[in-house]
Amino acid sequence: MITAIHTMVYSDDPTATRAFFKDVLRWPFVSEGAQGDGAVGGAGTGGDDPAEWLIFGTGRSELGVHPTSGDGDGGEWSAPKHHWIAVMCDDVDATVAELAGRGAEFAGAAQDMGFGRGVVMHVPGADDMLLYRPHHATAYDLD
């Protein structure tokens, strides 16, 4: 029935965002050409220019649904409905060091976030992403 999740990142500078995913995160990709219409039948054009419409393989994934309000140790809280992309790793410090060496920038140092240890990673031209090592049970390897 459902075969995959297609995550979309909207960017003010798509070329910079695609270059970040391609060169810094080193995600594998296919190209759909300059306008996103270059490959009939889903085969891809074989291009690797970040100015083209690159579609990235992001590896294993999972989806969590979080509340927009609650009452916790810090009192009542609320947030607007939104989507947030987080990428997971096994070692936050080692991953930050490796990605920083490739040009990634982060908002401060990694910290304990309760559900895991993480840090916000800046994505050129787009919204930030969370990079974290989960402390929670994971579902990305379920079949």
Side-chain angles (χ1 to χ4, degrees):
M1 188 169 120
I2 295 172
T3 59
I5 296 288
H6 182 93
T7 306
M8 293 175 275
V9 173
Y10 289 86
S11 173
D12 292 332
D13 188 349
T15 299
T17 304
R18 292 177 191 130
F20 179 79
F21 292 158
K22 175 183 170 280
D23 299 329
V24 176
L25 298 186
R26 296 184 180 168
W27 282 345
F29 59 88
V30 295
S31 175
E32 283 291 306
Q35 299 298 317
D37 57 2
V40 176
T45 64
D48 65 355
D49 184 347
E52 291 186 6
W53 202 283
L54 305 183
I55 301 172
F56 295 89
T58 56
R60 302 179 298 177
S61 67
E62 61 185 31
L63 178 121
V65 178
H66 295 252
T68 57
S69 63
D71 189 6
D73 294 337
E76 291 185 29
W77 57 271
S78 67
K81 291 185 290 185
H82 65 283
H83 303 291
W84 176 246
I85 298 174
V87 292
M88 292 186 272
C89 64
D90 292 325
D91 184 328
V92 173
D93 295 322
T95 303
V96 166
E98 183 174 340
L99 295 178
R102 296 182 201 158
E105 296 180 2
F106 299 88
Q111 58 185 318
D112 185 358
M113 305 177 94
F115 57 85
R117 187 162 180 272
V119 62
V120 171
M121 177 173 58
H122 300 304
V123 177
D127 289 335
D128 295 339
M129 290 182 173
L130 175 65
L131 170 68
Y132 81 109
R133 181 190 182 285
H135 294 280
H136 59 78
T138 58
Y140 57 73
D141 55 358
L142 300 176
D143 289 323

